[in-house]
């Protein structure tokens, strides 16, 4: 957070106050000495973000695909050296370039949207547990509470929240979670994602490369996100507010809401 | 809006309801027969979006720079033919490719951030008028009210709101406004932008190519947005909620809040 002196204007008074503002940095991700993409992101946990982006984009399938990670002193360039020096040929390079900003689906036709592998999730959740977890999640989203300008995402199971990451970009917050999962080889069979952000198609496509089979958001999805959820078998819950939520798609073979 | 049958779960009951969902389409913008960029966007007003993006990115300086605009039947490809068949050389091509998703500032160093031309704004606004306009703006944001998943932006002056555009992308909503301004040759001297979305650096940089000198948001800015506002002289107000707002930067030579 940065501190800025700002003027707060009310109908009846004006005061100069110090306000906490979310930081934004350009983060360049280099793979095998080539710049792959530059994102605007929050300055923390840039390694998780870079690893998660490579994972959710299909460049790596596990942390062991990475030989070396370096971050420059300013924390704005993450250089990753892959063991396989050739980028995987089955990945659409252009698709990645548009990742992290709600684009990239152009490179997949509707007919191609199908689950890349069998979903390994076995999630059994009581509805009230989801409401409780969302309250806990919001209470842990400290960056949002301080600045009002940050998205958050969490890895959770019915037993509780495992980690929370925040970022000015809603895609980035999800990628940080995925980076954490890959780096720590987390078993995600009973786990799912909580997020503050809206669910666009690309968020669903990111999860389609993982073993995560459920995403729960405080916000709304787009129509394409619902279509892709149905096509890939990823369960999609949104608009969790108070004691209410919308189930946009539930894959009952892997996810049960009691 | 699309209609979807969804399951709404409460603590004590479950109901199947029909919900309105924001539509998302891939929109390709082609310039002089080359694809420039593909965005995920709402399907309406794609011409305003394309023209606004070209303008805010510096490819055109007025509507007369455009010879022809075609939209395909599906409304997902906008082809624009410029009178000058060469893209302007002083525009960083790569910067545009990252536009619309909160990126692109990498191509401008902090030292380069300065006003491109003298701000022509002459805005005099009573604080209570801003509060009123924001209420009016929200009441006109019908897509958000219906789906909860859409951003909106408006062109306004002290006399009222001139137009409102909505989009699933906060950058796109701003570009639609700018497209409207360019296409209708609107005199913006007394006008400014209202937006629902967060203000990242790129939003400020978009306005820096226009004669608009004030942006007012319901949401928070990032630190770089404030830095760029101060560097370019664009006044920046955020967090307008009820009878309160935060003035992050005010260029008193062109904008007065009474």
């Amino acid at each position: 957070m940065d501190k800025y002196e700002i003027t707060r204007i009310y109908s009846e008074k004006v005061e100069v106050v110090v306000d906490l503002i979310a930081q934004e940095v350009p983060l360049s991700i280099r793979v095998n000495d080539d710049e792959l993409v530059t994102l605007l992101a929050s300055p923390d946990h840039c390694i998780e973000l870079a690893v998660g982006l490579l994972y959710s984009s299909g460049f790596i399938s596990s942390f062991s695909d990475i030989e070396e990670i370096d971050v420059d002193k300013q924390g704005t360039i993450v250089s990753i050296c892959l063991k396989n020096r050739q980028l995987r040929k089955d990945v659409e390079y252009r698709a990645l370039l548009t990742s992290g900003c709600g684009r990239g689906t152009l490179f997949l036709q509707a007919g191609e949207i199908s689950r890349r592998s069998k979903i390994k999730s076995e999630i059994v959740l009581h509805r009230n547990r989801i409401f409780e977890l969302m309250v806990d999640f919001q209470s842990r989203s400290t960056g949002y509470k301080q600045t009002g300008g940050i998205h958050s995402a969490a890895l959770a199971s019915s037993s509780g929240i495992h980690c929370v990451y925040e970022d000015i970009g809603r895609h980035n917050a999800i990628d940080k979670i995925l980076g954490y999962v890959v780096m720590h080889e987390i078993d995600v069979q009973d786990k799912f994602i909580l997020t503050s952000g809206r669910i666009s198609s690309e968020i669903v496509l990111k999860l389609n490369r993982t073993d995560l089979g459920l995403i729960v958001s405080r916000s709304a999805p787009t129509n394409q996100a619902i279509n892709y959820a149905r096509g890939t078998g990823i369960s999609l819950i949104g608009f969790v507010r108070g004691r209410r939520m919308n189930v946009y798609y539930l894959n009952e073979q892997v996810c049960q809401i009691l």
Side-chain angles (χ1 to χ4, degrees), chain A:
Chain A
M1 312 304 142
D2 271 4
K3 288 183 179 176
Y4 280 73
E5 199 170 87
I6 65 160
T7 306
R8 184 163 292 155
I9 298 181
Y10 300 82
S11 277
E12 307 302 332
K13 66 175 177 177
V14 174
E15 37 178 56
V16 174
V17 297
V18 172
D19 201 25
L20 290 171
I21 306 289
Q23 288 181 312
E24 169 194 326
V25 295
L27 178 70
S28 293
I29 298 172
R30 299 176 64 86
V31 176
N32 296 345
D33 298 327
D34 286 323
E35 182 176 320
L36 197 63
V37 71
T38 297
L39 309 164
L40 289 184
S42 296
D44 60 309
H45 300 291
C46 59
I47 291 179
E48 283 87 343
L49 175 52
V51 171
L53 183 66
L54 289 190
Y55 179 55
S56 68
S57 305
F59 281 92
I60 60 170
S61 55
S62 75
F63 198 43
S64 63
D65 290 342
I66 293 176
E67 192 166 279
E68 198 178 333
I69 302 178
D70 284 311
V71 183
D72 72 331
K73 279 184 186 169
Q74 286 75 38
T76 57
I77 303 171
V78 180
S79 301
I80 290 180
C81 184
L82 299 183
K83 278 190 184 149
N84 179 355
R85 282 272 174 171
Q86 297 298 310
L87 289 179
R88 282 176 51 195
K89 286 179 186 164
D90 58 339
V91 174
E92 309 88 345
Y93 185 79
R94 285 186 63 204
L96 180 68
L97 281 177
T98 66
S99 184
C101 56
R103 303 195 301 209
T105 51
L106 255 251
F107 311 101
L108 290 164
Q109 299 299 317
E112 295 177 52
I113 301 300
S114 59
R115 186 73 192 179
R116 278 157 206 264
S117 59
K118 194 175 178 317
I119 294 179
K120 292 174 187 157
S121 283
E122 285 180 27
I123 297 170
V124 181
L125 265 174
H126 194 282
R127 61 184 77 172
N128 287 338
R129 190 70 186 125
I130 297 178
F131 301 143
E132 288 165 12
L133 286 170
M134 192 55 88
V135 170
D136 188 18
F137 172 54
Q138 285 186 260
S139 75
R140 294 180 191 220
S141 301
T142 51
Y144 179 78
K145 283 194 284 189
Q146 289 176 329
T147 70
I150 287 192
H151 283 293
S152 48
L155 185 71
S157 69
S158 63
S159 63
I161 289 176
H162 295 256
C163 64
V164 176
Y165 286 95
E166 296 188 292
D167 201 283
I168 57 164
R170 63 194 167 88
H171 296 80
N172 296 344
I174 303 272
D175 275 328
K176 284 177 177 176
I177 293 288
L178 300 183
Y180 170 87
V181 164
V182 172
M183 290 168 69
H184 299 280
E185 296 180 351
I186 306 289
D187 177 3
V188 297
Q189 189 153 327
D190 62 337
K191 298 189 181 62
F192 50 92
I193 300 265
L194 299 174
T195 176
S196 64
R198 286 179 303 130
I199 308 287
S200 54
S201 57
E202 203 186 64
I203 300 285
V204 176
L205 295 179
K206 275 183 189 295
L207 291 199
N208 194 33
R209 301 198 190 255
T210 77
D211 286 327
L212 289 154
L214 168 64
I215 185 159
V216 179
S217 173
R218 197 174 178 275
S219 302
T222 65
N223 67 336
Q224 286 299 347
I226 299 174
N227 297 345
Y228 288 177
R230 291 176 178 179
T232 58
I234 295 171
S235 299
L236 177 56
I237 294 174
F239 257 102
V240 185
R241 307 271 170 112
R243 312 296 278 182
R244 191 189 116 174
M245 62 185 165
N246 289 347
V247 179
Y248 296 100
Y249 169 71
L250 194 67
N251 181 349
E252 292 180 352
Q253 291 185 316
V254 294
C255 183
Q256 290 179 56
I257 308 294
L258 306 178

